[in-house]
Amino acid sequence: MDLTFTEEERAFRREARLWLEANVPPGPHPSGDTADGFDFCRRWERELFDARWAVVSWPERYGGRGASLVEWLIFEEEYYRAGAPQRVSQNGIFLLAPTLFELGTEEQKERILPAMAAARALWAQGWSEPGAGSDLAALRSRAVRDEARGGWLLTGQKTWCTRAAFCDHLFGLFRTGTGKEHARHKGLTYFFVDLRAPGVTVRPVGRLDGDAGFADVVLEDVFVPDGDVLGRVHEGWSVAMSTTSSERGLSLRSPGRFLATAERLVALYRRERERGAGVACRERVVDALLDAEAYRLHTFQTVSKMAEAGAKMGAESSLNKIFWSEMDLAMHETALALLGPSAPLVEGPDGAWMKGFEFALAGPIYAGTNEIQRNIVAERLLGLPRK
Amino acid sequence: MDLTFTEEERAFRREARLWLEANVPPGPHPSGDTADGFDFCRRWERELFDARWAVVSWPERYGGRGASLVEWLIFEEEYYRAGAPQRVSQNGIFLLAPTLFELGTEEQKERILPAMAAARALWAQGWSEPGAGSDLAALRSRAVRDEARGGWLLTGQKTWCTRAAFCDHLFGLFRTGTGKEHARHKGLTYFFVDLRAPGVTVRPVGRLDGDAGFADVVLEDVFVPDGDVLGRVHEGWSVAMSTTSSERGLSLRSPGRFLATAERLVALYRRERERGAGVACRERVVDALLDAEAYRLHTFQTVSKMAEAGAKMGAESSLNKIFWSEMDLAMHETALALLGPSAPLVEGPDGAWMKGFEFALAGPIYAGTNEIQRNIVAERLLGLPRK
Amino acid sequence: MRFAFTEEQLAFRDATRAMLARICPATAVRTAWDPASSGRDPARWKVLADAGIVGLLVDEAQGGLGRRVIDLVLLIEEAGRAALPEPLVETALVAAPLLAATGSPTANEWLARIVSGDATITTSLDGEPLVADAHVADRIIVQARDTMLLVDPRECSVVHQPTVDGARRIFTLGSDPRGLALTPGDPARGLAARAFDHGALGVAAMQLGLAARMIDLAVAHVSTREQFGQPVGSFQAVKHHLADALLALELARPLVYRAACSLSHDRVHAALHVSMARARADQAAGIAARKSLQCHGAIGYSFEYDLHLFMKRSWALSSAFGTTSFHRDRVGVVCLDGDSPPPDPFGEP
Amino acid sequence: MRFAFTEEQLAFRDATRAMLARICPATAVRTAWDPASSGRDPARWKVLADAGIVGLLVDEAQGGLGRRVIDLVLLIEEAGRAALPEPLVETALVAAPLLAATGSPTANEWLARIVSGDATITTSLDGEPLVADAHVADRIIVQARDTMLLVDPRECSVVHQPTVDGARRIFTLGSDPRGLALTPGDPARGLAARAFDHGALGVAAMQLGLAARMIDLAVAHVSTREQFGQPVGSFQAVKHHLADALLALELARPLVYRAACSLSHDRVHAALHVSMARARADQAAGIAARKSLQCHGAIGYSFEYDLHLFMKRSWALSSAFGTTSFHRDRVGVVCLDGDSPPPDPFGEP
């Protein structure tokens, strides 16, 4: 066990820090869930890519640096430390790419990954449907074989597609099997959909926090060629599961984000302490520090294990997801308590806390509700009986 | 709405307070869950009865004062305020008696109630069985008809019978119906059992807190005459439900108990504050005060409603049970945090907190676990669908 | 000892609930979000005034109903259930009794206008720098230490401060506003303290109604929404979330009603009782928001669905007339910090 | 950066777990409750010593294995899993390094006896008035400000203070015990501070093992116990209770292992890291106790069932080498109270 960074890791951090300090545009940045903000973020993503910081852990030939997982975590820490803009490439990079690396064809990887990294093509996820939220296997959107054209015709409705109003592509599951043997988790196929293709209608859906990045995506006989199927036909569930495991676990919410929030919270505590307020919140700020520190160390522990044993994140990603989502919410609640009378304000220097609180409220819901995650922890990690 | 006490209520409180101040033996009192302590408590119960404080809300002819529910609450407050001994008559008075008043024959009431009030006969409850805890309807102890002797032969095992090692009688449910139509909640009958009757074996079971009041009661062909059936044969479930509703709700844990605990907690906080400790616990002590106050007011609200509308406690008793049991635990946890290094000690002036904590841990379990109670709240008060 | 509302009080509550369902459905609250509009509906306000609600606490001599806080608390709760955008707490529960108590010559004139629904008045008390509805209020009662002024907001600079709740409009006032002096010297502080407690109690009552509404929405949703082939509400985790929300609400209620009673009778511990009420009513609404949203899943997170209207009002109100933390702290100050004993826990409730 | 134990460390842990399952089953812990006995088993202690565990941190020159805290932490965790009654933390993790650090002439002699299993030594540090195992310890290291004495407990009055855990024996010492001076002057405080942190880390490791054991017991119970025609463990509320317990445990682990690492390398923030570890390990054990008991229902509440042996050890240990509150507070003191910035959150872990 060696909890000091290697000389290489330190050098990597220094390089990242210097570049970010020199290049991060001064804040506050517009939200990537608005049209203008999305454009701003897309331009920023391109700068990141040009400096080879967009996808540090990817192989160089796809635009990365072949960085280790520890280095990737270091980059993430520096990214949030620098207060850099929101990453609108996130769903592609963190949800789709790991699956593509594992199960995509060489042609797919070369076609999709560099464009994704360079923010030439931005991706939205298409998991949920109006009748299939936590119960993803209940999805009903279908794909019908179009043998003549060598592909599929997709029909149905996807909902809660993050930033789909602005993205270029969507990935998601569609029901290809129709027989009884294809109910629920069986007979699904993982597709890539061009959001500009004929038959696609994107309808923005307002979010609780007022931003409009969410969208419903309605598909009517949208043609998708065979080359845009990921993995095998009818086996989309197991293809998708490696992605949702990423979403829940390691990659979507790296510790750097929460270290940065905790640091801001400590600064807020100190400021309010001088005003004479906040004593009652001290215990909660201590908990925020403990949470952020525990999550950082836990993640280092996980990547050390993965690096050594080549292990994948399994049900442990559910533990992560419960922890970061509830930590994030608690930190923002504490900040609002510290802000006192000005907590409800959404503009000015402190307004970001209320916006952040609203966003944090979604954490225990998306990527599989925390109720589902606790079931998974109990059943898969503790071995409790399924119903 | 009038939140001041009437002149009669004040006079009642004064009288109770004066008598208790003059008569409560100096503490600490032995636990009623030990043999010696039980005898001590039984003698005390007799003193209470002789002064007509044992069962203030009962009619005078059974040994009470015909006091109102508000007066009963006032007596309870004064009782805990005075730090009077544990009431080993509790299970009879609070669990059996309300049912007996409602469903007992005149003969049963006259035979059982005065003796219970005078602590000549002390009662244990016999609900749980080894295979039937939260799932009370799974009980398997049986009663077989003995037509010749005009009664029933009881066989089976009851467990977690509070103080049964020292009590005289037990009340509980036994399966009298055997057909398919008598499964689960049906075909049960409510019996009184003499714990000295032939065929009864009482086996003390140690409790987590070291006291030995719990017992298993094993019955082998124990004869119980027809006169010791409460309510109708085969309808014991509905008979028992009015009792468990009392147990969960209003009567078993009156607010006085928690007001007294909160008062002790405040004193402990002030003492520890002077030692320089306890600042971090201030929020928790505030919560204890709020809890105790809320529970007191909520109870006054309930009895006002009951007095006016003649309403019975229904599923609301489940709300009460969740609240008082979790409040009690939180108060004791706070006290232990305040005690600091001496928290684990079980003797000396502060040792009562650890003992109280251990006892409080049982609260969310007995009388129907809080998980079951939350189901009841959700299904009966909010109308959520049963599975 | 009788801790129950009268038949009349309950009937007035039921009528108010029915009326608000008609004049202030969720769509109306949504309309009040429109930043291009004032977000206020004079016609709705007039209905409330005509029903006697706005002038409930005003003396009969000025055309009011001459009632007490305890008669108003259930109606404020209904306003919470409806997320009423208009400043009912500010005008009916804070400004009206404050005006009456100043004994100022102009007070009666304004009280009559409040009763008739022709005037809304809000307040800016010491330590409460944010003023509700300064964009529409006819007057603002501004207290600064020992002075209390009746200020015409059109004659001083008011700056809108956008909050999380688009229907709640909050403003800062320019420094040193000028207006008509209401009380000379010392009494101002005492009156302001009482007004502050009235406002805090009003917020507590609003929170009860908001919590109840959020729970209702969640119950309706989980009873019909199916996942895994069964209603979401049949899952134990969902049941327990909503049971927790109901528990917090039901145990907060009596604290709020008691505080209303204590204010009505000017009881010595009224301020403590108000703070106890706020501590738990704010908490109950916070739990109801959190649990209801969670039980809704992503649907509750969409702007088109109504839940957020109530959640956001609750968050916004948690900082009005003292924050939740302020009120919790005040309980500690009275009961823990001093060396004098706290109120007798076995005394009058 | 490599946050993982070595194969050898894991193998030593596995061997220790197997050994403790043999020499310290729950029945043995129950035996240690007997108030008529010392509650200690010299034969068991000898096995631990022979395995090299007791003397793990002692220099090879004195017969020990010359290892670091990071090599011991997993074994202490196993002692927690077994609720080992003997003073392993006190002797192996606190007294032995403290003795060695004093450089006192008699230290080596006692270190050799510790290694061989012939001596147990516990401590009484400033601010920690309660001494473990004074009834059986061969010596007690007593610190009072700048002095540190090696005291023979038979030569000073020790008074048993019964705790909730019958297997944990705690004593107060008579005032001004006499004994052999170990260090003159100032260094005593520094050494004692380090010993205190060693003890606190040991408690944290014990708590991890206790928590794991309690969760194991609950999982085993709810997987077989049936109510309402199905295993109790198939109810969602039960699943979520135990998931919460596991969550707390798994997120506490890395804090404890990091603290062990920091102590091993005398890192500048080692004391802070220890307090972070204690804050969360105590909490995890508390949650495991509460949730496991709840999932057991009444069965867990009986003295005959083993769960309480582990719960009570956990409660007793929460006050040893600083209370949970003390350690939480120390995190606040370092990171919040001063005006100097806290440790860089983006620095070395």
Side-chain angles (χ1 to χ4, degrees), chain A residues 25-326:
Chain A
H29 310 123
S31 161
D33 297 308
T34 60
D36 288 351
F38 190 84
D39 286 344
F40 168 88
C41 290
R42 188 192 278 255
R43 286 193 301 274
W44 163 250
E45 294 274 358
R46 286 176 182 161
E47 277 187 64
L48 269 182
F49 177 78
D50 290 342
R52 286 203 308 127
W53 293 113
V55 287
V56 296
S57 62
W58 290 13
E60 294 192 20
R61 63 187 173 119
Y62 297 124
R65 292 174 178 241
S68 69
L69 280 173
V70 168
E71 286 168 336
W72 172 69
L73 290 173
I74 288 172
F75 173 74
E76 289 276 300
E77 290 186 357
E78 292 302 319
Y79 192 86
Y80 286 103
R81 179 181 171 278
Q86 183 186 356
R87 295 206 64 180
V88 294
S89 63
Q90 166 178 288
N91 284 328
I93 290 177
F94 293 141
L95 302 187
L96 171 56
T99 320
L100 204 49
F101 275 116
E102 201 174 319
L103 298 164
T105 64
E106 208 46 55
E107 183 276 327
Q108 287 174 329
K109 286 192 253 186
E110 298 205 349
R111 171 162 54 94
I112 294 173
L113 290 170
M116 176 193 291
R120 289 198 305 275
L122 288 170
W123 288 78
Q125 48 80 15
W127 293 142
S128 299
E129 298 184 4
S134 293
D135 183 11
L136 186 55
L139 65 86
R140 274 183 286 188
S141 294
R142 332 172 253 107
V144 176
R145 186 70 196 152
D146 182 341
E147 205 61 64
R149 298 163 71 188
W152 301 78
L153 293 172
L154 275 50
T155 300
Q157 180 176 352
K158 296 291 180 179
T159 190
W160 315 124
C161 306
T162 311
R163 290 184 287 278
F166 318 122
C167 281
D168 312 294
H169 300 276
L170 176 131
F171 55 91
L173 294 179
F174 293 79
R175 197 161 290 285
T176 42
T178 49
K180 266 218 158 178
E181 75 283 12
H182 282 143
R184 307 252 330 142
H185 307 81
K186 292 169 191 158
L188 302 172
T189 300
Y190 193 123
F191 286 98
F192 307 137
V193 182
D194 183 342
L195 286 171
R196 271 83 174 169
V200 174
T201 312
V202 177
R203 294 197 301 229
V205 175
R207 284 196 322 204
L208 176 144
D209 61 4
D211 289 345
F214 268 10
D216 280 2
V217 175
V218 180
L219 305 101
E220 288 177 86
D221 287 331
V222 176
F223 178 75
V224 172
D226 285 336
D228 284 351
V229 169
L230 181 56
R232 290 180 195 226
V233 169
H234 294 345
E235 295 183 6
W237 184 262
S238 58
V239 175
M241 280 306 103
S242 57
T243 307
T244 57
S245 169
S246 305
E247 185 183 13
R248 279 172 202 156
L250 183 62
S251 51
L252 186 62
R253 293 288 176 257
S254 75
R257 182 190 186 96
F258 308 106
L259 295 175
T261 306
E263 196 175 41
R264 284 169 55 221
L265 190 60
V266 169
L268 180 64
Y269 173 81
R270 288 175 176 232
R271 188 189 83 187
E272 294 297 321
R273 182 190 63 186
E274 279 170 30
R275 292 196 203 172
V279 177
C281 292
R282 185 170 175 273
E283 288 289 296
R284 294 165 71 176
V285 178
V286 165
D287 267 315
L289 285 171
L290 290 170
D291 279 346
E293 195 82 358
Y295 190 61
R296 185 190 197 210
L297 291 168
H298 189 256
T299 307
F300 280 130
Q301 192 178 269
T302 304
V303 299
S304 294
K305 206 188 300 172
M306 288 170 81
E308 252 152 71
K312 285 174 64 172
M313 293 279 290
E316 283 191 32
S317 66
S318 293
L319 275 182
N320 279 12
K321 199 260 157 161
I322 299 166
F323 194 81
W324 67 248
S325 59
E326 295 178 4

Side-chain angles (χ1 to χ4, degrees), chain C residues 23-337:
Chain C
I23 65 174
C24 188
T27 48
V29 180
R30 203 174 276 279
T31 304
W33 272 65
D34 178 5
S37 81
S38 73
R40 301 297 172 261
D41 180 351
R44 182 163 55 220
W45 187 249
K46 186 76 178 153
V47 173
L48 293 169
D50 289 348
I53 297 171
V54 180
L56 201 79
L57 304 191
V58 177
D59 272 2
E60 287 168 290
Q62 276 82 46
L65 293 179
R67 301 295 176 85
R68 292 174 165 177
V69 176
I70 192 67
D71 300 298
L72 187 56
V73 65
L74 291 179
L75 315 185
I76 301 282
E77 187 177 330
E78 293 308 316
R81 185 187 301 271
L84 180 77
E86 283 74 27
L88 182 63
V89 167
E90 290 80 356
T91 301
L93 187 53
V94 182
L98 180 53
L99 274 176
T102 60
S104 142
T106 47
N108 288 355
E109 191 184 315
W110 281 103
L111 285 169
R113 283 184 218 157
I114 285 176
V115 169
S116 63
D118 294 322
T120 57
I121 301 187
T122 66
T123 59
S124 171
L125 306 174
D126 244 11
E128 289 278 305
L130 298 170
V131 186
D133 276 20
H135 65 315
V136 293
D138 295 277
R139 289 293 182 278
I140 299 171
I141 304 175
V142 178
Q143 180 232 350
R145 284 183 290 275
D146 295 333
T147 67
M148 199 174 285
L149 300 176
L150 194 62
V151 172
D152 184 341
R154 277 141 303 200
E155 290 178 8
C156 71
S157 68
V158 298
V159 180
H160 183 221
Q161 304 291 340
T163 76
V164 64
D165 176 12
R168 183 163 171 86
R169 306 291 171 87
I170 289 292
F171 302 82
T172 44
L173 294 189
S175 55
D176 292 327
R178 285 186 300 177
L180 185 71
L182 282 171
T183 56
D186 264 320
R189 291 196 200 198
L191 294 183
R194 194 157 177 276
F196 174 83
D197 286 334
H198 272 215
L201 183 273
V203 167
M206 289 285 290
Q207 299 280 34
L208 296 184
L210 287 160
R213 180 68 169 267
M214 291 188 271
I215 293 171
D216 285 352
L217 284 169
V219 167
H221 175 74
V222 303
S223 299
T224 53
R225 167 86 173 167
E226 295 204 352
Q227 292 279 274
F228 304 101
Q230 60 190 80
V232 169
S234 65
F235 288 101
Q236 200 178 24
V238 170
K239 285 181 181 172
H240 287 198
H241 281 325
L242 295 179
D244 284 340
L246 185 68
L247 185 64
L249 172 59
E250 291 303 327
L251 272 293
R253 280 186 191 287
L255 287 168
V256 178
Y257 302 151
R258 188 265 302 263
C261 197
S262 297
L263 285 176
S264 298
H265 298 96
D266 275 326
R267 289 183 55 186
V268 62
H269 294 303
L272 171 65
H273 294 169
V274 166
S275 283
M276 287 181 148
R278 268 298 294 281
R280 284 300 166 91
D282 286 1
Q283 183 186 40
I287 292 172
R290 175 85 183 75
K291 299 291 191 179
S292 296
L293 178 63
Q294 188 67 21
C295 291
H296 274 87
I299 289 158
Y301 205 79
S302 82
F303 200 82
E304 287 161 39
Y305 189 81
D306 292 333
L307 178 63
H308 75 100
L309 302 171
F310 304 94
M311 293 201 299
K312 289 172 180 170
R313 180 66 54 82
S314 162
W315 300 333
L317 286 176
S318 290
S319 297
F321 297 103
T323 62
T324 318
S325 301
F326 167 86
H327 288 287
R328 287 182 59 90
D329 186 62
R330 196 161 69 161
V331 174
V333 168
V334 175
C335 299
L336 299 178
D337 294 348

